[in-house]
Amino acid sequence: PSLSSPTPHQYLQSLRDGDLALFSRIQARDRAWWYPLTDRGGTGCSLHAAAEARALRSVRFLVEVKKVPVNVRALSDGATPLHRAAAVAHYSDPRAMEVFEFLLSKGADPEARTRGGRQDEDISSEEEDGKTSLSSLSVLDCTVEKGHGREVGEVREMLRRAIERHSGVPRAPLESLFEEEEEEEEEE
């Protein structure tokens, strides 16, 4: 592809495809495209895109080399890369589980919930009332009951077992751009 003027699509697609050479050329051409913690144009964070595409090579590169926080939340819904990996775990492609396990091994938090633009306190009060909003999803809520060629409940059970295998791994902090925006507003 032409790199005279890289697009967000080319940038994220290189990560989705695991094409780190193209990613490096885009980055060398225009350093402004490196946005590990932003949700530019609704395209999602780089680590989210790679996790959802089941691109373990890119996920590993972003976490280990680029030092993208493993628990970074998307601006759109507060989901973490682990939520995105869980959402595609129902495919028969084993790469989905490899990405899920890798993220857990690096401290991804399986207890994190999406926010849907709402505050954590709102979510907790709903849970106390026994009403959990669909905008507040756990990692296991993000997957389907039955995957391709799998029995009902098998995908969630695979994810539960993976979470259990990594239960001794210290959890990395949740990285939320919402909190940074809230802190900036409080300072004003």
Side-chain angles (χ1 to χ4, degrees):
S2 168
L3 297 183
S4 60
S5 180
T7 66
H9 175 75
Q10 286 175 307
Y11 174 84
L12 288 175
Q13 195 60 44
S14 68
L15 293 170
R16 288 181 184 114
D17 292 342
D19 189 345
L20 300 180
L22 177 58
F23 172 83
S24 296
R25 288 198 316 271
I26 291 171
Q27 189 178 24
R29 165 69 178 86
D30 186 353
R31 293 245 180 237
W33 281 112
W34 174 237
Y35 54 99
L37 302 180
T38 62
D39 205 350
R40 232 184 229 182
T43 55
C45 301
S46 55
L47 185 55
H48 289 75
E52 193 168 42
R54 304 174 305 275
L56 180 60
R57 184 172 178 224
S58 293
V59 169
R60 185 180 305 277
F61 171 77
L62 291 168
V63 171
E64 293 178 343
V65 177
K66 297 306 253 175
K67 305 298 184 203
V68 176
V70 73
N71 283 321
V72 64
R73 290 182 182 263
L75 286 175
S76 58
D77 60 3
T80 66
L82 195 63
H83 284 97
R84 300 289 193 248
V88 296
H90 65 283
Y91 293 114
S92 56
D93 182 347
R95 295 177 304 159
M97 283 305 297
E98 291 171 359
V99 168
F100 191 82
E101 296 246 11
F102 174 78
L103 291 169
L104 287 170
S105 76
K106 294 299 181 179
D109 187 352
E111 300 298 319
R113 298 185 74 83
T114 63
R115 291 205 256 196
R118 299 171 50 194
Q119 299 301 314
D120 286 332
E121 304 84 60
D122 296 334
I123 293 168
S124 334
S125 64
E126 285 181 0
E127 288 172 346
E128 289 169 13
D129 294 338
K131 301 179 294 184
T132 303
S133 165
L134 290 177
S135 64
S136 168
L137 300 174
S138 74
V139 169
L140 293 177
D141 291 334
C142 289
T143 193
V144 296
E145 276 292 316
K146 183 179 182 330
H148 301 279
R150 301 190 191 281
E151 297 296 320
V152 173
E154 185 178 350
V155 177
R156 287 187 181 164
E157 186 55 33
M158 287 172 30
L159 296 177
R160 266 192 215 92
R161 286 192 308 263
I163 291 167
E164 181 61 32
R165 279 193 298 279
H166 294 88
S167 63
V169 175
R171 300 291 171 232
L174 285 173
E175 299 284 338
S176 176
L177 295 178
F178 292 112
E179 292 166 7
E180 290 173 14
E181 290 171 356
E182 290 167 4
E183 287 172 12
E184 286 173 10
E185 288 173 9
E186 288 174 11
E187 290 174 5
E188 293 174 357

